[in-house]
Amino acid sequence: MSNKIRTLLVDDEPLALDYLEGLLNSDADVSVVGRCKNGKEALRVLRDGMVDLVFMDVQMPVMSGLEVIAEIQAESMPMVVFATAYDEFACPAFELNAVDYLLKPIDPQRLTMALQRCRERFVSRVLMAEKNAVVGALNQLRSGNGWLDWSAESQSQA
């Protein structure tokens, strides 16, 4: 697993995308892997599951950021930080398990705080995935489907 947090930026304003990407490019832990200008594009990218974190605008044409996250919620869910000019959508954003909610124009110090929260969740996810892989391998070995057969029958033959 990569050490960098694979990040998608979603905003219908090109200048907002440029500004956020510029801020994130200075962070060694973050890799901006894509930019989307609307919710429909974001949905396609998010369904691929190759994103750890998404910075999502709320109000966009065709499909809002909240609608995108609500739709993808049941699938492979990345961490979400909403970045918007509207404070009235904060409660619905947190109901969708947002990590943070940033108001535009984004304050670099506030972004740093949001990224720290994301790093903590990212590390937890990586550790949980590694733990699950080890437990799965041990269970496979115990069931006799692995490299070693630790069943009672094989031990009695030894």
Side-chain angles (χ1 to χ4, degrees):
M1 175 159 275
S2 170
N3 296 345
K4 291 192 175 210
I5 301 171
R6 298 167 300 180
T7 305
L8 176 68
L9 310 181
V10 184
D11 201 311
D12 60 328
E13 300 174 30
L15 291 177
L17 286 171
D18 292 343
Y19 177 70
L20 183 55
E21 186 170 11
L23 291 174
L24 292 173
N25 281 339
S26 65
D27 193 299
D29 293 340
V30 174
S31 173
V32 176
V33 296
R35 294 167 47 139
C36 298
K37 61 184 178 211
N38 62 55
K40 290 285 187 189
E41 286 180 12
L43 206 50
R44 282 193 298 272
V45 173
L46 291 171
R47 284 194 170 128
D48 289 342
M50 299 304 295
V51 175
D52 302 309
L53 169 63
V54 59
F55 281 87
M56 179 75 69
D57 188 12
V58 173
Q59 288 200 318
M60 296 180 290
V62 182
M63 186 176 211
S64 77
L66 293 170
E67 291 170 327
V68 171
I69 299 307
E71 188 162 328
I72 202 78
Q73 191 79 27
E75 300 169 26
S76 174
M77 187 65 190
M79 296 175 288
V80 178
V81 174
F82 284 96
T84 183
Y86 305 96
D87 62 358
E88 66 261 25
F89 299 108
C91 285
F94 285 111
E95 288 171 0
L96 292 171
N97 298 315
V99 175
D100 212 329
Y101 194 92
L102 303 175
L103 291 176
K104 294 177 184 177
I106 296 173
D107 174 16
Q109 290 180 328
R110 187 65 185 82
L111 176 63
T112 299
M113 290 172 54
L115 285 173
Q116 185 56 37
R117 286 188 182 114
C118 293
R119 278 186 200 91
E120 290 166 4
R121 287 197 189 181
F122 183 71
V123 167
S124 293
R125 284 182 177 191
V126 169
L127 292 175
M128 185 59 72
E130 289 173 356
K131 176 186 168 193
N132 289 341
V134 169
V135 168
L138 288 173
N139 286 337
Q140 186 176 13
L141 287 172
R142 284 186 187 146
S143 70
N145 295 327
W147 300 295
L148 301 174
D149 186 0
W150 291 359
S151 65
E153 181 181 309
S154 67
Q155 298 219 358
S156 65
Q157 294 174 355

